[in-house]
């Protein structure tokens, strides 16, 4: 049966070639776009691991002239005054690396005897509660950690699984800028961008008064308005005696950071949607025309006893054969991408994209072939033969 | 003759409405997308002010310092032999960068180490991406600022709406003056005109507005800002720095675009001669001077060598556009090929009365150009609507798309290519038709 259909298609290879080429090309374009889109959506929907709602980060500058005691006094006073406001639920100091702040600090080393790749993040002990991180095991930092023999560190699940194979890790020591003792593991922390997959993290503890923690994060009572920012602004400038700082709404920052990924993604997907509609319309037109040109053949088959269903089936099978061959050839090229590992995309995304593209194209072809085939099969044999 | 062809084309289009719809849909949407894309590219990469001189610019916005060390690099290969793991370690002795530091430059580095560059008629130093939070009527206004010298205004030709830009003396004397965009004037003062002499409070200091420029409508960092200040108003520690690294970028303007390479190589030569202040920390200096297009590409896809970024980004754009145009064209060819069969009898008659293949070919390509032209007009209107929607939704941030003459000319060219391409293959096939076959095939 399949062989027979193939012979029918092969005999008209000149006419079917354009159709073949078109489906091949459609596959190529859709495959590329879907691979990126699937990758983007999967990353986007992976959990953030912390709460950005009603959170602000103030990026502060601290005068070089303050000595360490003066700095400590000012920083502690600022935190106290901010926390005293009823709108502020909690406050914590952060290092230069902040959630959605654009800054990153990465380290790759083999000091532990194996390659350890991690992002570094500095904060005081309150950060984990201010940002609502979820603890998987162990504990967050506490006051005593400042005096511990080893620097305490909290890692995320990604680092735990990537570098330590998910084996029991609490109280283990590993090297990165000195020796660190793991006191806790948090679930997720996707802090660079919603569209950037989570990085392995190491969280370090610094004292609140440290010059290395210039920025302050505030968790606010739900429903706090932007007008409150002016009050915070005033408090900060009164205490730090500086004006060159900036307050950022974390939720807004998250959304605006994502926008430069959404725009091309939506543009690419709408272009694909248009291409599919375009190809579908064209296909429908061509099939309608070519199938109706084969009236004589239909008439003959009907006279020899073929039912309407077998005729419909034959035309659909022919078109599906062409589409299937095109998809097969295109898949052969597409599968080279995961096999050769051309781009930094997980293999499963390629396969998902291939599956998705093939299904979509077959569905479109089926839909476009169905109506003309059925229409043709309704031709009365006597009429068809008479015309000839 | 053409008039007859035209009449015929219209008749044929009206006869088969569904096919006409398919063709027009494909043509108009493809052209719409192409026109919006070219409008976007023209806006971002074209030479509208303030980047009229973009082809003469060489940008230097990154200084990379490396510590290169001779080091033994071990490479462990593990292989399974007879069910047992064997390790094979090889050692190579080579230079490797043990630490890399990269950032924009410091002012002393640009002034003292780079200084005058051979081939540059103008050079400017500036700092981008400074921010101010300003509060007006309980509302926060987040303003982006550029700190610059006076030459900045000669290199980038902003359209001055009111007043003037600041002079070298203003920069030297640390005058508290500011040039703002019309957008900022509207947001801060509530009006676009007559704001000269007004004061803006930034970080507790009052700056006098001396000029209003038209807000740039592109995303390029080196010009995109809400206000522009003399760089001497920055905190002192930002200006005087021991390090080579700092917040400053530089742009050098060549006499002509051919002279760009001279500036590039002059800068690279200088990089080799500069001695590193602390060779125990960093012992190698790398500078990557680049053209405007390279800098733009580098912002999209980061590679150390800007030329590589340029090749990747523009290669991808051209490749994707080609792929994108190819599909609708193929679709149209496909539709046209099957449609044109209908006209076999007509061709047969024309041939029988003495028309040659060239006549027939011309007629069908002409018909197709008419069709694409109608599609082009529709696509043009659709593109106008889409550009309006995009600008209204501010989906592209500060980028404002405009429809200008060059975009329209590009589009006309695209239309022509599209029409000829999708018409010529089916027409060529038909023009080869044997008269006898054509006449026999169909009853007249």
């Amino acid at each position: 049966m399949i062989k027979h259909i193939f012979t029918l298609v092969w005999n008209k290879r000149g006419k079917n070639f354009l159709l073949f080429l078109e489906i091949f090309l459609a596959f190529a374009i859709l495959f590329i776009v879907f691979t990126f889109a699937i990758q983007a959506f999967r990353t986007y929907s992976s959990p953030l691991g912390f709460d950005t709602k009603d959170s602000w980060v103030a990026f502060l500058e601290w005068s070089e002239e303050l000595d360490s005691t003066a700095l400590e006094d000012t920083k502690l006073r600022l935190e106290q005054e901010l926390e005293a406001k009823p709108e502020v639920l909690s406050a914590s100091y952060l290092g230069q690396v902040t959630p959605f702040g654009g800054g990153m600090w990465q380290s790759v080393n083999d000091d532990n005897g194996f390659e350890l790749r991690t992002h570094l993040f500095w904060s005081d002990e309150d950060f984990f509660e201010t940002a609502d991180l979820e603890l998987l095991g162990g504990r967050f930092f506490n006051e005593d950690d400042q005096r511990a023999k080893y620097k305490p560190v909290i890692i995320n699940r990604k680092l735990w699984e990537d570098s330590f194979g998910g084996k029991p890790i609490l109280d283990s020591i590993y090297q990165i800028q000195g020796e660190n003792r793991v006191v806790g593991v948090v679930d997720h922390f996707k802090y660079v961008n919603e569209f950037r997959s989570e990085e392995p993290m190491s969280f370090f503890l610094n004292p609140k008064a440290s010059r290395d923690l210039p920025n302050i994060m505030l968790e606010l009572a739900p429903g706090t308005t932007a007008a409150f920012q002016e009050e915070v602004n005033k408090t900060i400038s009164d205490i730090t005696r500086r004006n060159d700082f900036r307050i950022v709404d974390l939720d807004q920052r998250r959304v605006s950071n994502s926008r430069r990924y959404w725009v091309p993604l939506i543009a690419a997907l709408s272009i694909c949607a248009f291409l599919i509609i375009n190809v579908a319309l064209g296909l429908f037109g061509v099939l309608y025309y070519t199938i109706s040109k084969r009236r004589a053949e239909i008439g003959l088959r009907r006279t020899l006893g073929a039912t309407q269903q077998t005729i419909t089936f034959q035309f659909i099978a022919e078109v599906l054969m062409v589409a299937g061959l095109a998809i097969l050839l295109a898949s052969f090229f597409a599968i080279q991408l995961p096999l050769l590992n051309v781009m930094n995309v997980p293999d499963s995304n390629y396969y998902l994209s291939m599956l998705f593209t093939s299904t979509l194209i077959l569905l479109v072809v089926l839909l476009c072939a169905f109506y003309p085939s059925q229409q043709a099969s309704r031709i009365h044999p006597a009429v068809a033969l008479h015309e000839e | 003759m053409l008039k007859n062809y035209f009449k015929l084309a219209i008749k044929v289009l009206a006869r088969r409405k569904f096919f006409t719809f398919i063709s027009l849909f494909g043509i108009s949407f493809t052209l719409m997308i192409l026109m919006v894309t070219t409008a976007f590219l023209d806006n971002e990469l074209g030479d509208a002010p303030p980047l009229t001189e973009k082809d003469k610019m060489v940008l230097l916005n990154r200084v990379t310092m490396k510590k290169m060390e001779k080091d033994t690099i071990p490479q462990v290969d593990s292989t399974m032999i007879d069910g047992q793991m064997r390790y094979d370690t090889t050692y190579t002795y080579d230079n490797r960068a043990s630490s890399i530091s990269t950032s924009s430059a410091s002012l002393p580095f640009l002034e003292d180490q780079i200084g005058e560059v051979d081939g540059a008629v103008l050079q400017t130093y500036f700092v981008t991406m400074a921010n101010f939070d300003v509060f007006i009527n309980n509302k926060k206004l987040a303003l982006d600022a550029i700190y610059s010298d006076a030459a900045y205004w000669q290199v980038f030709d902003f359209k001055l709406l009111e007043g003037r830009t600041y002079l070298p003396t203003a920069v030297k004397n640390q005058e508290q003056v500011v040039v703002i965009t019309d957008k900022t004037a509207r947001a801060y003062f509530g009006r676009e005109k007559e704001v000269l002499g007004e004061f803006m409070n930034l970080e507790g200091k009052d700056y006098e507005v001396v000029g209003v420029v038209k807000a740039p409508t592109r995303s390029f960092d080196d010009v995109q800002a809400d206000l522009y200040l003399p760089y001497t108003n920055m905190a002192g520690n930002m200006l005087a720095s021991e390090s080579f690294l700092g917040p400053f970028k530089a742009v050098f303007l060549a006499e002509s675009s051919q002279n760009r390479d001279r500036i590039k190589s002059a800068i690279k030569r200088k990089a080799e001669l500069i001695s590193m202040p602390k060779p125990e920390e960093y012992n190698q200096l790398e500078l990557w001077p680049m053209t405007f297009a390279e800098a733009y590409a580098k912002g999209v896809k980061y590679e150390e060598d800007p030329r590589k970024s340029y090749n990747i980004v523009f290669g991808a754009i051209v490749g994707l556009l080609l792929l994108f145009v190819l599909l609708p064209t193929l679709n149209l060819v496909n539709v046209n090929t099957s449609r044109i069969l209908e006209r076999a009898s007509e061709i047969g008659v024309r041939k029988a009365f003495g028309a040659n293949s060239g006549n027939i070919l011309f007629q069908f390509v002409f018909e197709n150009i008419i069709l694409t032209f109608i599609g082009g007009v529709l696509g043009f209107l659709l593109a106008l609507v889409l550009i309006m929607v995009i600008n209204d939704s501010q989906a592209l941030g500060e980028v404002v798309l405009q429809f200008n003459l060059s975009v329209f000319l590009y589009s006309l060219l695209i239309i022509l290519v599209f029409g000829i391409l999708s018409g010529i293959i089916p027409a060529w096939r038909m023009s080869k038709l044997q008269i006898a076959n054509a006449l026999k095939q169909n009853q007249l």
Side-chain angles (χ1 to χ4, degrees), chain B residues 74-184:
Chain B
Q75 169 95 31
V76 185
D77 286 325
S78 53
T79 37
M80 196 73 100
I81 298 172
D82 302 332
Q84 277 202 315
M85 197 61 110
R86 302 284 172 88
Y87 298 97
D88 178 23
T89 312
T90 47
Y91 297 94
T92 37
Y93 190 63
D94 206 356
N95 262 329
R96 83 165 169 183
S98 61
S99 81
I100 302 171
S101 189
T102 179
S103 160
S104 38
S106 69
L107 189 62
F109 174 78
L110 291 173
E111 279 181 339
D112 305 337
Q113 306 290 340
I114 300 291
E116 294 269 308
V117 169
D118 178 37
V121 283
L122 268 175
Q123 54 197 73
T124 171
Y125 308 132
F126 55 94
V127 177
T128 59
M129 314 259 253
N131 322 275
F132 296 104
D133 279 357
V134 179
F135 290 89
I136 319 163
N137 311 329
N138 281 336
K139 270 181 74 184
K140 191 177 89 168
L141 207 57
L143 299 174
D144 295 331
I146 286 178
Y147 285 105
S148 76
D149 56 10
Y152 181 84
W153 300 106
Q154 287 171 275
V155 174
F156 299 107
D157 57 330
F158 282 83
K159 190 162 177 251
L160 197 61
L161 299 175
E162 210 176 12
R164 55 175 178 86
T165 55
Y166 40 80
L167 301 168
T169 47
V171 179
K172 205 169 142 222
N173 300 335
Q174 208 182 335
E175 280 177 28
Q176 292 187 4
V177 291
V178 59
V179 171
I180 61 176
T181 65
D182 49 351
K183 219 172 87 193
T184 313

Side-chain angles (χ1 to χ4, degrees), chain A residues 14-15 18-19 21-22 25-26 29 32 64 227 229-230 233 243-248 259-260 263 271 274-275 277-279 281-286 289-290 293 387, chain B residues 16 18-19 21-22 25-26 29-30 33 131 133 135 138 140 203-204 237 323-324 326-328 330-331 333-335 337-339 341-342 394-397 429 442-443:
Chain A
K15 275 185 185 152
L18 276 176
L19 192 65
L21 201 64
E22 192 176 334
L25 212 64
I29 295 174
I32 295 171
E64 298 284 334
Q229 236 182 75
E230 195 167 3
N233 205 62
N243 287 298
D244 49 349
F245 62 88
R246 167 169 74 89
I247 301 173
V248 166
R259 197 170 63 179
R260 55 180 286 243
V263 170
I271 289 178
F274 151 72
L275 283 179
I277 295 174
N278 191 13
V279 168
L281 280 176
L283 207 62
F284 182 80
V286 171
Y289 193 80
T290 46
K293 276 273 148 194
E387 269 179 16
Chain B
R16 285 293 207 153
F18 181 65
F19 276 107
F21 167 73
I22 294 176
F25 176 85
F29 269 76
T30 309
I33 291 166
N131 322 275
D133 279 357
F135 290 89
N138 281 336
K140 191 177 89 168
E203 294 183 346
N237 59 345
L323 212 60
F324 166 69
L326 205 59
L327 191 57
L330 208 64
N331 195 40
V333 171
N334 215 346
V335 171
T337 318
S338 56
R339 266 191 74 187
L341 284 173
E342 277 176 27
Q394 298 200 318
L396 300 174
R429 264 195 187 181
N442 280 31
Q443 54 277 72

